[in-house]
Amino acid sequence: MKSLRFAVSYRLLVAVGLALCCLLPSAAAQQAGGKLTVAIGVPAVTLAPGKSIASIVNSITEGIYEGLVERDASGAVLPGLATSWSLDADNVTWTLTLRQGVRFHDGTEFSADDVKATFDRILNPAFELPLSSVLKVVSRVEVVDPYTVRIVTGSPTPDFLNRLAYGVAVIISSDAVEKYGADIDWTPVGTGPYRLESYVPNESVTLVAFPDYWGGAPLLDRVEFRTVREPGTRVALLEAGEVDIIVDVPATDLPGLKAQADKAVLLAPSTRVMHIGVNTQVAPFDNVLVRQALNYAIDQDGLVNGVLQGVGQPARSMISPVVTGFSPVSEYHYDPATARRLLAEAGYPNGFSATLWTPEGRYFQDRATAVAVQSMLGDIGVKVDVRVIDWATYLEILRRPVDASETQLYLLGWESGTGDIGYVLDLIFHTSTWPPAGWNTMFYSNPEVDALIEAARVTMDPDERQALATRIQEQIVSDAPWVLLNVTEETAAMSAKVHGLELLPGDVYSLKTVWLDKD
């Protein structure tokens, strides 16, 4: 029962991390009102559910939209817009009872029709929503009555509730779906405690309290997400009191922030695995020996202890140890001699040149990580040119189809949004999810892996599913469409006047319970 053990470990680690830095006082001690300012490293490019892979977007939309179910910081599935649910004996028919008395931001009342419209939108192939693969297990949604829906999956789906709790499945007003379809980027209509007030492209997103929220008056008047690309600038703004929370804190600044009595630091286990994605369809990366050589060239321990200054751990699979299904399958270790031998066997005894793309400010020490990889690959004769690309452009060029792709190597960090291995398998590693259909931006394809993924997708027995998950990880890691780097820890720092910040599974910061001391 390895998967259950890791799930429990995740819950304990997150609970401990949060308890140390931001204990919630009693409800009576909470103070309502005020504006919270959060400095983020990259701009939100859309607020449309199903479009963006960026966890920071989910941190924004988590206050705007709500799903039928949700997960807390421990990973437990809790009622959301559905108050209860049941699974029939056929293992494919889910019946959900909906919460009554809920209103959308446009004033319309939430009902089963909105659930059906939401799922019809995400599953509409004409919209080509990148995250639709998470819910492609759904065969149909039936409105039983205004407050009861029946969701039928095409086959048994062991992680279905986790999928429902992910940001792609949040419920949108049926009126908004009809009006905007896929393009609801900056006209969100949800049921959450905050609604969109303003958006300044590349600069800020501001939310304002929704007075008719079914859960009671929100604890904040406003929340501004301000784009501050330079990590050092984010730290300076926090220390000057101009922002209240910063994310992706530079490793060099963590000790100093921890030492400040008026600051608090959050370090929490993440589901994110940093890696170098490899375009497996272009030479020389279409040769598995080359891809394996790149993995042997990486000094993971040196990366974590040096560039990342101890924040995180070496990656032993394509998923994090806190994700259900994890197995530490990787046999790669730092061995430049083996890397050079494999390159010679592949026909590249003198190495080759390549381009490595990276964002800056999106991930913890992202550009510094890319530069370290450049140095390590240089030691085996692979001359790498590092190119920094802004985040919005980055996502666009990674999503190009194979015949239009210019990628060779690129730095990316994938988290498991649902906390289960099925998320990354369906979205990233199945042949059917080559862009633009999904996020298999490596253009990786292995029929054996596809078959194993399809089997794991419908296996309800946890032990059998774990065995399949292990085989899948072994094969993918051997095929090496990723150069494994590290499992991240989420880093955030905040003013001591901030209370109640939670890190949810999928590296999403929840602001629903955040409140501020009054000045």
Side-chain angles (χ1 to χ4, degrees):
M1 298 293 290
K2 184 182 298 182
S3 61
L4 292 181
R5 290 200 298 272
F6 281 113
V8 171
S9 298
Y10 174 78
R11 294 170 188 176
L12 289 175
L13 286 167
V14 172
V16 170
L18 292 172
L20 288 174
C21 69
C22 46
L23 288 171
L24 265 175
S26 66
Q30 294 177 354
Q31 304 173 24
K35 176 184 176 181
L36 180 78
T37 303
V38 184
I40 58 180
V42 292
V45 296
T46 177
L47 298 183
K51 277 193 174 182
S52 176
I53 64 169
S55 56
I56 197 62
V57 169
N58 284 335
S59 295
I60 298 173
T61 59
E62 194 265 345
I64 298 174
Y65 291 110
E66 296 176 301
L68 296 173
V69 298
E70 59 184 36
R71 288 187 300 156
D72 64 14
S74 74
V77 176
L78 304 174
L81 292 178
T83 57
S84 63
W85 52 87
S86 62
L87 175 62
D88 287 2
D90 62 6
N91 280 332
V92 299
T93 304
W94 295 80
T95 302
L96 298 96
T97 301
L98 305 182
R99 192 177 299 276
Q100 300 185 33
V102 176
R103 292 199 174 274
F104 285 99
H105 298 157
D106 62 1
T108 59
E109 186 175 355
F110 163 69
S111 73
D113 290 331
D114 302 298
V115 177
K116 179 170 174 52
T118 293
F119 279 81
D120 287 348
R121 169 190 174 273
I122 200 73
L123 296 173
N124 188 337
F127 292 162
E128 294 185 337
L129 294 171
L131 293 176
S132 62
S133 62
V134 176
L135 292 178
K136 282 184 178 177
V137 296
V138 174
S139 176
R140 64 183 185 276
V141 177
E142 301 171 354
V143 174
V144 178
D145 61 48
Y147 297 105
T148 308
V149 293
R150 185 177 295 121
I151 302 177
V152 181
T153 59
S155 56
T157 306
D159 60 337
F160 185 64
L161 289 177
N162 285 45
R163 293 171 186 249
L164 283 188
Y166 186 48
V168 67
V170 294
I171 304 304
I172 305 172
S173 161
S174 57
D175 289 350
V177 171
E178 181 178 358
K179 184 175 182 179
Y180 302 110
D183 301 319
I184 199 167
D185 301 76
W186 300 108
T187 50
V189 184
T191 61
Y194 300 96
R195 59 178 177 81
L196 179 67
E197 180 181 58
S198 63
Y199 160 62
V200 180
N202 298 313
E203 293 186 16
S204 66
V205 177
T206 302
L207 311 183
V208 64
F210 177 45
D212 296 326
Y213 180 55
W214 64 267
L219 292 171
L220 300 166
D221 294 329
R222 278 179 175 75
V223 182
E224 178 190 0
F225 293 86
R226 186 184 304 174
T227 303
V228 182
R229 288 181 168 83
E230 174 55 45
T233 303
R234 293 198 294 274
V235 173
L237 290 172
L238 177 66
E239 292 181 327
E242 295 185 34
V243 301
D244 303 302
I245 299 173
I246 62 174
V247 298
D248 297 327
V249 184
T252 52
D253 291 293
L254 286 171
L257 289 169
K258 288 179 181 178
Q260 298 180 36
D262 62 345
K263 302 293 185 296
V265 170
L266 183 153
L267 284 172
S270 170
T271 67
R272 187 181 308 279
V273 174
M274 297 302 299
H275 60 276
I276 304 299
V278 183
N279 186 337
T280 64
Q281 300 302 307
V282 298
F285 307 110
D286 54 351
N287 189 317
V288 67
L289 297 179
V290 170
R291 302 195 299 270
Q292 291 173 345
L294 301 186
N295 274 278
Y296 279 110
I298 301 301
D299 181 0
Q300 291 186 337
D301 290 324
L303 177 65
V304 170
N305 295 326
V307 173
L308 304 179
Q309 299 194 25
V311 178
Q313 60 182 291
R316 308 313 302 159
S317 181
M318 336 87 59
I319 58 173
S320 161
V322 301
V323 173
T324 300
F326 170 81
S327 288
V329 300
S330 175
E331 297 182 358
Y332 299 119
H333 55 278
Y334 181 48
D335 189 346
T338 296
R340 285 189 287 267
R341 176 178 58 80
L342 290 172
L343 285 181
E345 290 181 20
Y348 300 95
N350 299 316
F352 53 84
S353 297
T355 299
L356 168 59
W357 294 347
T358 182
E360 184 170 18
R362 171 61 188 91
Y363 305 113
F364 182 67
Q365 301 289 87
D366 44 17
R367 184 179 182 277
T369 297
V371 171
V373 169
Q374 176 189 42
S375 176
M376 294 173 192
L377 296 185
D379 289 342
I380 65 167
V382 177
K383 302 174 182 63
V384 170
D385 175 35
V386 173
R387 288 182 53 197
V388 177
I389 301 174
D390 75 272
W391 184 240
T393 303
Y394 206 70
L395 296 179
E396 187 275 322
I397 59 179
L398 286 180
R399 293 275 302 151
R400 293 172 184 168
V402 62
D403 56 358
S405 177
E406 300 175 8
T407 58
Q408 290 183 310
L409 305 172
Y410 57 91
L411 178 75
L412 204 62
W414 266 107
E415 87 287 349
S416 176
T418 66
D420 185 278
I421 189 174
Y423 175 85
V424 294
L425 296 183
D426 283 351
L427 190 65
I428 308 169
F429 293 103
H430 196 281
T431 303
S432 66
T433 58
W434 283 21
W439 282 95
N440 186 340
T441 49
M442 311 83 62
F443 305 105
Y444 168 68
S445 180
N446 184 326
E448 179 184 353
V449 169
D450 288 347
L452 289 170
I453 291 174
E454 290 157 15
R457 191 182 293 154
V458 301
T459 300
M460 299 296 283
D461 181 271
D463 291 329
E464 292 179 15
R465 189 166 184 260
Q466 180 61 54
L468 288 168
T470 298
R471 289 175 59 192
I472 292 167
Q473 290 168 84
E474 289 172 342
Q475 188 60 60
I476 291 176
V477 169
S478 177
D479 290 342
W482 284 7
V483 180
L484 297 175
L485 299 178
N486 62 285
V487 179
T488 68
E489 284 187 305
E490 285 296 301
T491 60
M494 67 203 81
S495 164
K497 71 178 182 179
V498 176
H499 302 276
L501 180 68
E502 291 187 325
L503 179 68
L504 304 180
D507 302 341
V508 173
Y509 291 97
S510 174
L511 303 179
K512 288 182 178 179
T513 54
V514 171
W515 58 277
L516 297 170
D517 285 333
K518 292 292 178 64
D519 295 329

